[in-house]
Amino acid sequence: PARYFDTKTTEPISFFLSGLEELLAWQPNSNDDFNVSAVPLAKRQPPLRSRRPRTLVCHDMRGGYLEDRFIQGSATRNPYVFYHWRYIDIFVYFSHHTVTIPPVVWTNAAHRNGVPVLGTFITEWTDGEKMCEAFLAGGEEAYGAVAEQLARIAQHYRFDGWLVNIENTLSVAAVGNLPHFLQDLTARVHSAVPGGLVIWYDSVLKDGKLRWQNELNDENRVFFDACDGLFTNYNWKEEQLERTLRLAGPRHTDVYVGIDVFARGDVISGGFDTDKSLRLIRQYGLSAAIFAPGWVYEHLGKENFLQNENRFWGSLAEYLPTHGICTLPLATSFSLGMGTSTFLDGKDEESGPWYDLSAQEIQPLYPEQQGRLSTGCCLQDAWSGGSSLRLQGTIPPGEERVAVRLFSLQMPAPPKLFLTLLYKLEGPQPDDFTVALEVTTWDSGICLEGNPTSLPEPNGRHHPRFLPAPPPGLAKLLAACHRGSHGWTSRCYELELQDCSLRDLSVIVSRQQPSLQETSFTCLLGEVRVLDTASVAASPPQVHSVMASQLWWQ
């Protein structure tokens, strides 16, 4: 069927639903197994429900369902990718189809990085009015059937909820039932999807008129009260933030103030000045909804996309609270889910462009220090997948080292950790530097490294012990200790801790010799792993009831 498979290539594709009939007729179908997300939502700290201001990203690009619709990837040159997951809380896939089911590649990439994904339910123009009249004015049975289908769709495809956008005027009967519909949908999504969310877009008012308010007020509050949050329109001014904060009370972080990165209409800022809008929103402790950050790709072009993307998110980083990893093992080769080649064990196995967000690995923080350090992606060389992480920076005169923070780790430390690192130093004098991992813990007075007689480390900095060879029981798994090749260096470490809480994982680049000169370095990271020794040594769970379906040979 053309809905599930591309007519040219027969490959499985992601799809949307058009109109009320298609929504109400939807049933799970054996053809859409490919569209079910295979990656559960990873836990992260702090969790979404914490009271700090959040960041929602709403992805809207040329109508949606572009190359990202190919579930098993495509040979796309210079595709759009998003990888600053540590800086955001919620990802919305937006299009103007009635029911936007997020392409499963996005759900997989977001979930691997701990970010929930929402689809969009939208009605607009005169067709939207007719549709709303049919299901909202129709009463409880009619709107209940729509709510039930939307909850079932999110549950079946394993994404996390809906943005609801009613952009047309409503009759008295329809608008009277709208809060009940939102309440019903929210309750059904919460019960069908753990951690599920329903967010309302600031559009129609309680009297049924379509008038964007750019704030939370008495005209739209009834919809905010019926669901998990409000995404405001973009043309707000500072006094509206003030009023919103007052009215929202303890739920102020459930208001996502809209910023259109394309800066359409009468807005504070967009583009590379988006930080001005974001700074104001944060001054009032409100959450933010960044709409169409694909501006970087669409407006500035594909060629220097990765540099421009890092510049854009780097300019906002000050106002984006980041998230930590709270489960082990942590293993990543930093791949973006795209590339100009495919690498395996440091070797370029296959030249040619590819794009598959499901293959994107866990993404780190991307720290930037003006003139001192930049972190970015390197497509020209990688250990595994399509890219490595490039660290470029300088060690200032008289200083010995630079620490680059890769991940915030927020969990109790197991008694023993194994860590592995694969790296490659570039530049004229790679032998001038050493590269190592550093783990920091929260200062607690009782946290000790190694045996009970050791002293607490100052500032909770731990330098894991270098292992020339893996311990016998783990030799197979940690073949990594010996497997550097094609110019990559491999290192294995072990760290024993007592009563500690992990804080950060950093890479330390140090000079071999002290110097009064400023020294520049470029280091590629190919892979990092942090493993809890106890669970690594245990045998993996057995796999049962494997079934193969949809086999198609070409």
Side-chain angles (χ1 to χ4, degrees):
R3 172 186 283 175
Y4 302 102
F5 299 96
D6 183 57
T7 46
K8 288 197 189 80
T9 63
T10 75
E11 290 173 26
I13 50 173
S14 294
F15 61 87
F16 50 84
L17 303 176
S18 300
L20 205 51
E21 279 173 28
E22 281 193 12
L23 170 60
L24 293 172
W26 176 86
Q27 289 294 343
N29 173 316
S30 64
N31 282 318
D32 63 19
D33 289 350
F34 288 111
N35 272 293
V36 176
S37 171
V39 182
L41 179 59
K43 291 189 167 68
R44 63 192 331 210
Q45 282 293 342
L48 192 64
R49 303 279 176 209
S50 70
R51 301 315 301 165
R52 69 178 193 175
R54 305 180 199 115
T55 307
L56 176 153
V57 160
C58 190
H59 173 65
D60 173 30
M61 188 173 281
R62 302 200 309 271
Y65 301 95
L66 307 172
E67 292 82 4
D68 54 6
R69 74 184 185 280
F70 290 102
I71 295 170
Q72 296 175 332
S74 64
T76 304
R77 205 173 285 283
N78 299 324
Y80 175 72
V81 289
F82 177 81
Y83 48 93
H84 285 81
W85 299 109
R86 301 268 136 243
Y87 300 85
I88 75 163
D89 298 81
I90 299 166
F91 182 85
V92 178
Y93 194 87
F94 182 89
S95 84
H96 288 276
H97 302 290
T98 312
V99 178
T100 298
I101 299 167
V104 65
V105 295
W106 281 105
T107 307
N108 288 339
H111 279 187
R112 187 170 288 125
N113 286 283
V115 174
V117 176
L118 308 187
T120 307
F121 176 58
I122 190 172
T123 67
E124 48 192 346
W125 313 107
T126 44
D127 284 352
E129 273 182 62
K130 287 180 196 151
M131 197 191 309
C132 290
E133 200 55 29
F135 86 91
L136 284 173
E140 193 173 341
E141 197 176 330
Y143 69 69
V146 169
E148 173 65 11
Q149 284 294 77
L150 290 172
R152 284 178 69 211
I153 287 170
Q155 181 183 42
H156 178 69
Y157 296 115
R158 299 189 190 162
F159 61 96
D160 307 286
W162 296 99
L163 173 68
V164 178
N165 188 357
I166 306 290
E167 298 228 40
N168 46 256
T169 52
L170 295 177
S171 68
V172 173
V175 81
N177 281 328
L178 183 52
H180 304 303
F181 163 68
L182 276 177
Q183 263 169 336
D184 190 27
L185 174 62
T186 305
R188 288 177 197 259
V189 166
H190 287 180
S191 94
V193 179
L197 290 169
V198 174
I199 292 177
W200 169 256
Y201 183 71
D202 154 33
S203 48
V204 93
L205 306 181
K206 66 182 182 186
D207 63 3
K209 289 196 177 75
L210 177 62
R211 276 214 315 271
W212 297 270
Q213 298 297 290
N214 307 298
E215 65 177 312
L216 173 67
N217 61 25
D218 287 329
E219 300 291 322
N220 59 20
R221 181 183 185 160
V222 60
F223 308 121
F224 175 63
D225 291 342
C227 68
D228 295 308
L230 167 75
F231 176 154
T232 78
N233 193 45
Y234 313 105
N235 303 315
W236 45 269
K237 295 290 173 271
E238 189 171 354
E239 57 270 22
Q240 289 168 300
L241 301 180
E242 217 169 310
R243 292 200 294 263
T244 294
L245 177 64
R246 270 206 308 276
L247 192 60
R251 282 191 69 200
H252 61 94
T253 54
D254 293 338
V255 179
Y256 300 85
V257 180
I259 303 174
D260 178 3
V261 181
F262 278 85
R264 291 164 280 212
D266 179 15
V267 300
I268 303 275
S269 67
F272 282 125
D273 292 328
T274 297
D275 59 310
K276 292 181 180 138
S277 297
L278 193 51
R279 183 172 65 237
L280 268 180
I281 293 167
R282 296 304 197 215
Q283 275 172 13
Y284 290 91
L286 298 166
S287 292
I290 300 175
F291 183 75
W295 170 85
V296 175
Y297 182 83
E298 291 187 71
H299 181 69
L300 300 172
K302 305 173 179 187
E303 274 57 48
N304 293 320
F305 166 61
L306 295 174
Q307 292 95 305
N308 289 330
E309 182 76 343
N310 290 340
R311 180 183 158 200
F312 176 77
W313 289 98
S315 72
L316 305 181
E318 187 185 340
Y319 308 108
L320 301 173
T322 59
H323 294 269
I325 284 175
C326 59
T327 51
L328 293 179
L330 162 61
T332 181
S333 67
F334 307 104
S335 183
L336 294 181
M338 61 157 288
T340 50
S341 282
T342 305
F343 292 86
L344 185 63
D345 292 346
K347 182 167 176 268
D348 184 342
E349 288 279 327
E350 194 180 339
S351 274
W354 64 275
Y355 176 46
D356 180 0
L357 285 168
S358 290
Q360 188 184 83
E361 302 226 357
I362 293 174
Q363 292 299 306
L365 296 162
Y366 282 85
E368 295 283 325
Q369 291 165 14
Q370 217 53 53
R372 286 274 309 266
L373 172 71
S374 76
T375 315
C377 318
C378 172
L379 298 173
Q380 293 73 40
D381 197 358
W383 175 254
S384 168
S387 52
S388 56
L389 189 70
R390 181 190 274 125
L391 313 176
Q392 279 180 303
T394 54
I395 302 177
E399 289 187 27
E400 299 298 303
R401 44 174 251 161
V402 167
V404 184
R405 183 168 166 247
L406 296 180
F407 291 99
S408 159
L409 304 173
Q410 300 191 13
M411 61 191 123
K416 195 184 225 181
L417 289 171
F418 274 119
L419 304 95
T420 68
L421 169 68
L422 272 149
Y423 69 90
K424 182 185 275 195
L425 283 160
E426 294 192 319
Q429 278 114 6
D431 299 341
D432 291 357
F433 302 97
T434 56
V435 180
L437 290 175
E438 177 179 272
V439 174
T440 57
T441 53
W442 291 96
D443 256 345
S444 71
I446 55 166
C447 168
L448 299 174
E449 181 181 328
N451 56 34
T453 58
S454 64
L455 294 168
E457 288 284 318
N459 2 319
R461 292 183 185 283
H462 306 275
H463 301 109
R465 195 163 62 86
F466 172 60
L467 294 177
L474 297 175
K476 200 166 168 189
L477 183 90
L478 297 181
C481 304
H482 296 304
R483 63 183 183 154
S485 58
H486 299 282
W488 291 88
T489 303
S490 178
R491 291 277 184 260
C492 267
Y493 306 91
E494 140 184 293
L495 179 61
E496 291 183 60
L497 295 169
Q498 286 186 352
D499 303 319
C500 300
S501 286
L502 299 179
R503 183 174 184 171
D504 286 318
L505 175 69
S506 301
V507 164
I508 307 295
V509 180
S510 312
R511 312 181 207 250
Q512 294 278 28
Q513 303 294 329
S515 168
L516 297 174
Q517 305 293 309
E518 181 176 270
T519 320
S520 300
F521 64 86
T522 300
C523 176
L524 302 183
L525 299 187
E527 186 187 72
V528 169
R529 299 193 292 175
V530 182
L531 313 171
D532 172 354
T533 312
S535 61
V536 169
S539 54
Q542 293 297 303
V543 176
H544 297 287
S545 338
V546 174
M547 277 164 55
S549 64
Q550 299 286 2
L551 302 179
W552 185 281
W553 300 97
Q554 287 182 323

